[in-house]
Amino acid sequence: MWGVSMQLQLITAPTIEPVALGDLKLHLRIDVDAVDEDEYLEALVTSARGHVEDVTGRKLLTQTWDYFLNEWPSADFIKLPFGNLQDGAGVAPIITWKDTDGTVTTLTVTTDYLVETNGEGIGRIVLPYGVTWPSGTLYPSKPITIRFVCGWTAAASIPFKIVQAVKMIVADLYEQRGEPVVGQTVSDNRVADRLLASSRIWDEF
């Protein structure tokens, strides 16, 4: 991203998953209730959601991240990863920066920067007309932090194709529980990957 190195850190993980346990059991044609089995299925959903996030470059459900930059960009905007940037009371991106003395300054939204959510696309931090990035010598380690919230706010809002891909991956994992037999053909979820193709984010960060 414009020669600016960056790092990411998860602050708050999602509290729900894209597929409810009851819907998943219906999809898998499982009609028995067992605590251990239910916990296993829920773990598979979490794993499948993580795989879908890796494939698409998105984060599916509400979660909070810190995005660290080592310097201000030369452009008048900063792209934020994962898509579905949330904005509003309590979830607007917060930008802080630290100087060489360790003094932390918090920028003011609408005055120092604007927020473009861009729907399901890539959100951006944009400089208002006539405003520049802060000047001053930056702290040597992670001097700039952007805390942001992303993801769909409800499982029902996630596109059908993504939800179906999660279900298909879970079904594949459930059927292949344990070590695969040598020589056995293992599905690589090509159908799921095709379902996810149109949801991928191609921007580089």
Side-chain angles (χ1 to χ4, degrees):
M1 185 176 66
W2 318 293
V4 180
S5 59
M6 63 83 184
Q7 294 177 318
L8 286 159
Q9 179 181 353
L10 177 64
I11 302 302
T12 305
T15 57
I16 58 175
E17 293 294 349
V19 180
L21 179 61
D23 290 341
L24 179 61
K25 293 175 78 170
L26 182 63
H27 178 75
L28 297 176
R29 296 185 175 88
I30 298 174
D31 57 4
V32 296
D33 293 321
V35 174
D36 290 346
E37 192 75 355
D38 287 353
E39 290 177 349
Y40 178 66
L41 289 171
E42 289 171 342
L44 291 184
V45 172
T46 300
S47 296
R49 190 246 307 159
H51 175 74
V52 167
E53 290 178 335
D54 289 342
V55 169
T56 62
R58 296 184 176 276
K59 298 301 177 186
L60 299 190
L61 289 155
T62 298
Q63 46 198 283
T64 304
W65 287 80
D66 274 353
Y67 185 30
F68 302 106
L69 301 176
N70 288 329
E71 59 184 6
W72 298 108
S74 57
D76 61 359
F77 63 89
I78 299 172
K79 295 189 297 182
L80 297 180
F82 306 143
N84 291 90
L85 177 65
Q86 296 184 25
D87 188 24
V91 296
I94 299 171
I95 304 176
T96 59
W97 69 281
K98 188 189 303 184
D99 64 16
T100 52
D101 295 326
T103 301
V104 176
T105 300
T106 302
L107 302 188
T108 303
V109 65
T110 71
T111 301
D112 296 321
Y113 64 96
L114 305 174
V115 179
E116 291 182 357
T117 55
N118 296 323
E120 296 178 2
I122 291 295
R124 304 197 313 172
I125 300 297
V126 180
L127 288 176
Y129 179 76
V131 176
T132 59
W133 300 115
S135 59
T137 305
L138 295 171
Y139 196 74
S141 176
K142 297 180 180 178
I144 303 164
T145 302
I146 304 174
R147 178 162 294 186
F148 67 97
V149 180
C150 63
W152 283 280
T153 57
S157 301
I158 301 174
F160 177 76
K161 290 191 294 185
I162 294 179
V163 174
Q164 283 299 105
V166 171
K167 289 180 179 179
M168 293 179 67
I169 293 167
V170 171
D172 194 41
L173 293 171
Y174 186 74
E175 292 171 2
Q176 298 177 28
R177 60 199 301 173
E179 293 296 325
V181 177
V182 175
Q184 178 181 349
T185 300
V186 179
S187 171
D188 57 3
N189 297 305
R190 291 181 182 177
V191 176
D193 285 345
R194 286 198 292 271
L195 287 172
L196 297 173
S198 62
S199 299
R200 290 180 179 173
I201 289 177
W202 297 101
D203 293 61
E204 296 183 358
F205 296 90

